[in-house]
Amino acid sequence: MKILAISDIHGKKSDKLIDYLKKEDISALLIAGDITDFQITEFEPLSFVKPFIDEIVEEADVDVFAIPGNCDPAGICNAIKESGPDEKPAFCMHNQLIAYENVVILGYGGSNPTPFNTPGEVDDDDIYLRVYELLAEYDYIGNTDAKRVTILLTHAPPYDTKADLLPDGTHVGSQGVKKPIHEFQPNINICGHIHEACSIDKVGQTIVANPGMLENGKAVLIDVDEDAEFTVEIVDL
């Protein structure tokens, strides 16, 4: 099973994305936040969400799992859930977990505070509590005999990794994401937020992958086999 992850769409469609999804026979698309931009239309940035996801599902026949970013306004989860055809709706994974074949996806959107006062910012202590609770819930209910790949989908990257590195060398990620990763060690963390930080790194045994801004033409490809063995790589769309 192939899963593709993208982030930071910011209101710009990508024909290359749809072509790649079809060509590579992708089963699921993960969207790590910032789907909208501040001025999609003068009054309604959420108007971009449904047409964007509808086209992806209808053209490429993939399942879509998305979280909000810090730039997405209130109502983003409803906009995600209202997207896709009735038989294949998109899922808003904010503060949710779901089993998908032999993969478990756990999601938390928004970001730690930024200098820009964006609508989806959350105190880092609150991020820690919510992400910890998600991972702890799966740790409690998960069947340890079953072979599964755990994917933590966050908008904010974990602090002090390649995924949160600005061009000037400053790390601006979230300790609230990093700490529970240390504690529970999910297999993969897909994140976004820092457009220039397209990368693959590790926190302990957890692979951390940031596909960067969609406009830059990169994505993360996760390939999972029936024994829950997996690979993670950055790909060109």
Side-chain angles (χ1 to χ4, degrees):
M1 174 176 65
K2 293 181 181 180
I3 299 172
L4 195 73
I6 60 171
S7 188
D8 295 86
I9 293 89
H10 290 288
K12 295 182 179 179
K13 292 185 177 183
S14 169
D15 292 334
K16 289 183 178 179
L17 169 63
I18 294 176
D19 290 344
Y20 187 93
L21 291 168
K22 293 161 68 175
K23 178 184 69 175
E24 296 297 329
D25 193 24
I26 304 297
S27 298
L29 178 68
L30 308 183
I31 304 177
D34 279 2
I35 302 170
T36 69
D37 201 43
F38 297 109
Q39 295 181 348
I40 302 302
T41 69
E42 185 177 358
F43 301 107
E44 187 50 83
L46 290 173
S47 63
F48 173 79
V49 179
K50 182 172 171 54
F52 174 70
I53 295 178
D54 282 357
E55 184 178 12
I56 288 170
V57 176
E58 290 163 5
E59 292 291 327
D61 191 30
V62 296
D63 294 305
V64 174
F65 303 90
I67 55 170
N70 61 297
C71 293
D72 292 316
I76 180 65
C77 268
N78 284 337
I80 292 167
K81 289 186 286 187
E82 291 166 1
S83 301
D86 290 344
E87 68 275 12
K88 208 176 184 73
F91 293 86
C92 182
M93 294 302 303
H94 180 56
N95 211 24
Q96 302 290 330
L97 65 84
I98 192 169
Y100 182 76
E101 296 192 19
N102 62 347
V103 171
V104 175
I105 305 165
L106 308 97
Y108 193 81
S111 80
N112 47 306
T114 77
F116 309 110
N117 193 32
T118 50
E121 296 178 20
V122 184
D123 183 82
D124 228 358
D125 288 341
D126 289 335
I127 292 176
Y128 170 72
L129 288 173
R130 297 301 185 188
V131 175
Y132 179 95
E133 287 173 353
L134 273 175
L135 291 167
E137 180 180 357
Y138 175 68
D139 190 61
Y140 178 72
I141 66 174
N143 180 353
T144 56
D145 293 330
K147 294 179 179 180
R148 293 191 178 100
V149 177
T150 49
I151 301 175
L152 175 64
L153 179 64
T154 62
H155 183 63
Y159 178 75
D160 196 22
T161 59
K162 292 178 183 178
D164 81 323
L165 189 61
L166 294 179
D168 67 2
T170 305
H171 289 281
V172 294
S174 169
Q175 290 280 14
V177 171
K178 186 175 184 178
K179 289 178 183 177
I181 288 176
H182 264 302
E183 291 166 314
F184 290 96
Q185 295 284 277
N187 297 119
I188 304 165
N189 172 218
I190 296 294
C191 56
H193 190 46
I194 307 304
H195 299 173
E196 311 90 342
C198 178
S199 61
I200 292 179
D201 202 354
K202 274 193 167 184
V203 173
Q205 295 302 307
T206 299
I207 296 172
V208 177
N210 179 351
M213 189 178 185
L214 178 61
E215 188 179 20
N216 294 333
K218 303 286 187 181
V220 173
L221 178 64
I222 304 166
D223 198 342
V224 182
D225 71 16
E226 60 185 13
D227 296 318
E229 298 293 327
F230 65 91
T231 59
V232 181
E233 61 179 319
I234 302 287
V235 295
D236 293 308
L237 296 176

